[in-house]
Amino acid sequence: MEVYDSLILGHNFSMLFLISENWVRVSSTLSSQKRCTMKTKLGISFVAILGFLVISVPMFAHHGNSAYDMSKTVPMKATVTRFEYSNPHAQVYYDVTDDKGNIEHWVAETTNPAMLNRVGWTRESLKPGDQVTLFVNPNRVGAKVTFLQKVQLADGKELTTQKAF
């Protein structure tokens, strides 16, 4: 201990730190920094969490059904052209013949495959060429994109999405 005392007396103590019995010089700017108080740490944490939440809110915005008129359910006789059973939403691409005999290409989206699995859907539930009746909520602005509620297959079997939510 006497050796350490003599070293301390000969040098500026605030510039030296003992690290596993070795003396190391540290800049005086590092040693003169003040510690943060608990209130400061809580304030910084609060601001960081609040900032994260503000930034992350738009990520959840696209999961709403505000683009669709959920008060109306419209049946559409259709021919399935493609069925994408993938995240974040399963999608049914289908063709509809309008009053003039023209073919229109439409898309119906629904929930994710994991939720659809719970109510009996599989990757093979719909195949290109299947003649079906889709019960959908129309788009509010008239786009040919709908929200799928139920599918009635040609044999009368129904696949619903209602209980998946």
Side-chain angles (χ1 to χ4, degrees), residues 3-14:
V3 173
Y4 294 136
D5 289 341
S6 65
L7 285 173
I8 291 171
L9 294 174
H11 294 85
N12 182 353
F13 180 68
S14 66

Side-chain angles (χ1 to χ4, degrees), residues 26-43:
V26 177
S27 168
S28 61
T29 57
L30 290 177
S31 63
S32 66
Q33 288 181 346
K34 295 181 182 177
R35 295 182 130 206
C36 291
T37 64
M38 183 57 84
K39 287 182 182 180
T40 305
K41 288 180 185 178
L42 286 174

Side-chain angles (χ1 to χ4, degrees), residues 111-131:
T111 188
N112 63 65
M115 297 288 275
L116 291 174
N117 286 342
R118 295 177 189 160
V119 292
W121 288 70
T122 67
R123 184 174 296 281
E124 289 81 31
S125 291
L126 298 173
K127 296 175 189 70
D130 285 351
Q131 299 294 315

Side-chain angles (χ1 to χ4, degrees), residues 30-75:
L30 290 177
S31 63
S32 66
Q33 288 181 346
K34 295 181 182 177
R35 295 182 130 206
C36 291
T37 64
M38 183 57 84
K39 287 182 182 180
T40 305
K41 288 180 185 178
L42 286 174
I44 291 170
S45 298
F46 177 75
V47 169
I49 291 169
L50 183 65
F52 173 76
L53 291 174
V54 167
I55 291 170
S56 64
V57 166
M59 290 191 302
F60 298 106
H62 79 280
H63 287 100
N65 292 336
S66 63
Y68 308 104
D69 186 354
M70 300 305 279
S71 67
K72 295 180 187 174
T73 301
V74 179

